[in-house]
Structure formats: C-alpha cells, structure tokens
Amino acid sequence: MEIGVSLERALEIVSQLTMKTTSETLPLEQASGRILSEDIASKVDDPRFDNSAMDGWAVRMTDCSDFSTKLRVVGTSQAGSHQIPTVGVGEACSIMTGAPIPEGADAIVIIEESSYQDGFVTINGPARSGFIRRKGENLQEGVVALNSGTLLTPAGISLAATMGYGHLSVTTRPKIAVIGVGDELTSPGKPLDAGSIYESNTFGLSSLVEKMGAIPKRYDLIRDNIDSLRDALDEASESCDAIITSGGVSMGKWDLVRRIMEEEGHIRFWKILIRPGGPPLFGLWGGTPIFGLPGNPVSSHVVFTVLVAPWISESMGSGQSIGSRLANRVRVLMEEPIKGAPGKLCMRRISIRLEGDILVASTKTHQGSGNIHSLVAHNGLSLLPPDTDCDAGELVDALWLQY
Ligand code: AMP
Ligand code: MG
C-alpha cells in the first residue's frame, strides 16, 4: 500500500484496475452518450452523387466566360429527382440544393446572380465548380469513419445515421455501488434528531456516476457498524462492477471504511496530496475495485471529478476522456489572491468568466470542504501546485467544470 500519493500517481494506480464491460446493440436513438464498441465503416459514399451546394443553374463553365450570356433552359434537377436532363452547349438546367448535377454541366451559377425570361436564363455572375459537392468527398463506402471507443455525441449519432447504421454496438453501462457511511446521517425528507445532519453525498455521487454514463446503485445509509458495512460491501461486490463509499476514511476511531479495508480488503493507496479531498483510499474488496471517498461533500465531489471520473471513462473504453466533459483545463487570471496548500495540489472553488479575450476568475463563498454550496456558486477549481500561493493578477491553471 502507498500512503500519500500525488494525484498523477493515484491516477496511475487506479488505471491498473479496470471494470469489465461487454457490448450491447442499441437502436441509434438510444445510443447518444454511449461509447461505440466497434469500428464502423460507411455503408455509402457521402455525397452519394455529385450534387449542388446552392440553388441556381447547372451550366457548362466554358459557356459562361462572359457575363450577360444567355442560356437555353432544358429543365430542372430537384433533390430526389430521377430524370435529369443533359446540359449541352449553350444550355442550363435549373438546380436545387442537394440535387444531382446533370450530365454535361460542370459548374453552378447561383440563383441570385441570374435572371430568367421566356425559357432563357441570363448569367450575371461567375460559374463556380466549387459549388458542386463531389461524390464521396465526405465519406467513402467501406472506409471506417467512427472508431471503437468514440463517445457518441449528437454529431457522432448523426454521422452514424449518415453512414447507414440504424443500430450500434456500444459498451454496457457499468453498475457502480454508492454507499454512505455515518451514524450522524439522516436521509433528506426525514425528521432530524439532535446531532444528526441531512445526508447528501450518496445523491451527489450517484448523479455524478449517472453523468458519466454508468448506472449508480444507491444503498441505504450504513451506520458506523463494521458488520453492516461488511454486509453492504459484500453485496455490492457481488452485484456491482465498482464500489464508491463516502465517509469513514480518515484517522478517527469511527472511520470504519479505512479500518475494514486495512483488515479485510486490499488497499492500493491511501491519501492523495490534494486539498480538498486528502483522505481517499483505493483498492479491492473481494475482487471489486473500491474508492473510499471522504465524507466532506466538497471533498467527495472533487475526488470523484479528478480521480473517479477519468477512471470510469477509461474503464468504459472511451478513447477521448468523458471526464473532459466534466473538467477542462484552462488558464485563468485570478482577481484576488488565493492561498495554496503545503505539499498539496490546491483546488479552490473559483468562478471563471470571459472578460474581453481573457478568462478571469474570482472566489465567492466560504471555501470549507463541508460547504457544498461552494460547488454550486462556482464553476471551476484552481490547480495551484503544492506550496504555491497565487497573487491577484497572476495566471493559474484551473479546471472549468461543466456538468
Ligand atoms: P467522515 O469522513 O466520515 O469523517 O466525515 C467527514 C464529514 O463529512 C463529517 O462532517 C460528516 O458528517 C460529513 N459527511 C459524511 N458523510 C456524509 C454524507 N453522506 N453526506 C453529507 N455529509 C457527510
Ligand atoms: Mg464518519
């Protein structure tokens, strides 16, 4: 077991254990946000035939070297039409966007640069071959255009449809147990005893898991009792692909997740050199990867964002990190000084906004790791290197959170 690792080392260690996912076939309309699990080649050329990019006239370029040329109109080519007239010398064919280029024509004159009278069109502008969209210039039949591991964004779904796919093979959504531990916790909506607080982490973490495209399985709250914790972990490792716990990983006598993992599980690391979110552990419970996240709500969210999210993304076989949906690194100018942390990467909650052409950032609320409001009131996290403070007016790396 390693104790007190950098975030980079923690990411390296977790990447050694991945979840097993398989594939399933889904109708295209259900595949958005999923990860493609095979390379797919286009079933068609796109465009399927040379067609016009503009409404106008299909002409022969050599007929149009002079403006005011008059051409005899031989018919119309519409999108979807089958019988297209041929364009001979001195002739033009009316053409709509997307319609096939008639034989004989090699350029388009746009409608705005023409006038029509009595079966003849007068050409008042240039004939452009660039307005012909060539067969196969976007996609060629048989050529792979979407690779296994691609996150299916709306544009990806559209591309798959263009290529002729009504169904896609995608990786299955892993099931992730979310277990909250603590005697003081009460589910929201229930009456509170003296000394108890509303529990929030299992809700927040489940919705983070869901955002990653995985399926959260939220457990009933576990009291600080080692036997109930063991039962829950056993059940979770049987029924889920990974386990996330919240609470009970610090140094206290009642930090039972750490204790049970020390005594009965396999810990790969404990504590990361970050603030907030220092105490997490990672390891295996009965062969199932387990992340023991801290109980403080901000800490558990932040550790999920910087550690668990990229791991889920990688485990699901995504080439491009889905985590980048949650977190994009940018350079921001701090409007006020922020304090770093000795020996730790410091992730202060900051508000990032564009001012002129630079990103500036400021802090608003109390920064305590118990204050979940700080993650609602801000949209970013500073990435202050260990032992570094930031003065007002200085540039600092930051994660721009996009949930
Ligand atoms: P722990 O890691 O168990 O020492 O908890 C650290 C702090 O986080 C304590 O103030 C707990 O009350 C709080 N906490 C623990 N679990 C949760 C939870 N599921 N929801 C909200 N706060 C929690
Ligand atoms: Mg606790």
Side-chain angles (χ1 to χ4, degrees):
M1 163 177 44
E2 295 179 41
I3 300 181
V5 297
S6 67
L7 179 57
E8 290 72 24
R9 177 68 188 139
L11 284 161
E12 221 170 80
I13 295 172
V14 300
S15 73
Q16 290 159 8
L17 295 176
T18 51
M19 291 181 283
K20 288 168 212 65
T21 51
T22 51
S23 296
E24 60 181 324
T25 301
L26 290 180
L28 197 51
E29 57 267 44
Q30 288 171 27
S32 182
R34 302 292 293 271
I35 292 156
L36 194 64
S37 60
E38 59 179 1
D39 289 348
I40 59 171
S42 184
K43 298 185 183 194
V44 292
D45 286 326
D46 176 57
R48 284 198 61 209
F49 41 81
D50 289 2
N51 70 76
S52 177
M54 306 297 271
D55 293 328
W57 304 93
V59 297
R60 299 165 79 101
M61 184 83 96
T62 47
D63 283 346
C64 303
S65 40
D66 301 324
F67 283 7
S68 309
T69 308
K70 258 190 168 179
L71 302 173
R72 194 172 72 82
V73 176
V74 292
T76 298
S77 175
Q78 274 167 281
S81 56
H82 296 289
Q83 292 197 323
I84 315 289
T86 299
V87 173
V89 175
E91 293 177 342
C93 176
S94 164
I95 194 163
M96 312 299 152
T97 303
I101 302 297
E103 223 181 289
D106 58 6
I108 302 293
V109 173
I110 62 172
I111 194 91
E112 295 85 344
E113 293 175 348
S114 70
S115 56
Y116 173 82
Q117 205 180 8
D118 300 331
F120 284 83
V121 58
T122 306
I123 302 303
N124 302 318
R128 295 185 180 95
S129 58
F131 284 152
I132 297 178
R133 302 192 286 215
R134 302 287 171 193
K135 174 181 165 142
E137 74 181 10
N138 303 329
L139 301 169
Q140 291 93 49
E141 186 180 340
V143 176
V144 171
L146 278 172
N147 292 99
S148 176
T150 300
L151 171 66
L152 291 163
T153 58
I157 293 288
S158 206
L159 177 55
T162 303
M163 299 200 303
Y165 287 82
H167 288 79
L168 291 175
S169 172
V170 299
T171 42
T172 48
R173 299 173 68 192
K175 202 179 203 193
I176 301 184
V178 179
I179 302 174
V181 187
D183 273 347
E184 75 282 26
L185 305 175
T186 298
S187 293
K190 300 214 170 123
L192 281 177
D193 294 339
S196 64
I197 59 162
Y198 283 130
E199 189 274 321
S200 61
N201 289 348
T202 65
F203 293 92
L205 290 169
S206 295
S207 88
L208 285 164
V209 166
E210 194 140 19
K211 283 271 173 205
M212 292 303 299
I215 301 171
K217 179 174 177 186
R218 211 173 55 79
Y219 280 68
D220 286 342
L221 290 171
I222 303 295
R223 300 285 144 216
D224 287 326
N225 171 299
I226 206 123
D227 293 325
S228 354
L229 179 57
R230 184 184 304 108
D231 288 347
L233 294 180
D234 284 345
E235 205 284 328
S237 97
E238 282 293 309
S239 63
C240 296
D241 301 298
I243 304 170
I244 297 175
T245 63
S246 112
V249 285
S250 303
M251 294 293 288
K253 181 159 175 265
W254 293 107
D255 285 323
L256 296 184
V257 175
R258 179 188 48 78
R259 220 180 86 196
I260 202 170
M261 281 297 293
E262 267 174 5
E263 291 167 4
E264 303 173 35
H266 298 276
I267 303 182
R268 296 287 175 96
F269 71 74
W270 177 39
K271 293 187 181 172
I272 310 180
L273 299 172
I274 56 176
R275 177 180 291 170
L281 63 79
F282 173 75
L284 284 170
W285 181 266
T288 305
I290 175 169
F291 290 84
L293 303 191
N296 276 311
V298 173
S299 307
S300 69
H301 267 251
V302 167
V303 176
F304 186 99
T305 302
V306 297
L307 182 73
V308 188
W311 180 81
I312 293 176
S313 166
E314 197 178 309
S315 279
M316 291 196 300
S318 171
Q320 79 240 70
S321 165
I322 307 180
S324 68
R325 262 195 339 202
L326 300 177
N328 291 320
R329 186 177 284 238
V330 291
R331 219 54 194 142
V332 301
L333 184 124
M334 281 308 305
E335 285 190 312
E336 69 246 35
I338 47 171
K339 270 196 89 56
K344 292 181 172 183
L345 172 72
C346 184
M347 292 177 278
R348 302 255 169 213
R349 270 70 70 212
I350 56 176
S351 280
I352 304 173
R353 64 178 197 281
L354 186 66
E355 220 171 271
D357 55 3
I358 55 165
L359 295 174
V360 295
S362 59
T363 56
K364 290 193 172 117
T365 59
H366 178 54
Q367 293 275 330
S369 61
N371 183 19
I372 192 66
H373 185 241
S374 69
L375 273 176
V376 175
H378 297 92
N379 61 3
L381 297 172
S382 70
L383 294 172
L384 267 178
D387 310 305
T388 316
D389 296 330
C390 176
D391 278 337
E394 269 188 320
L395 288 170
V396 65
D397 273 2
L399 292 181
W400 197 340
L401 302 171
Q402 286 161 3
Y403 294 108

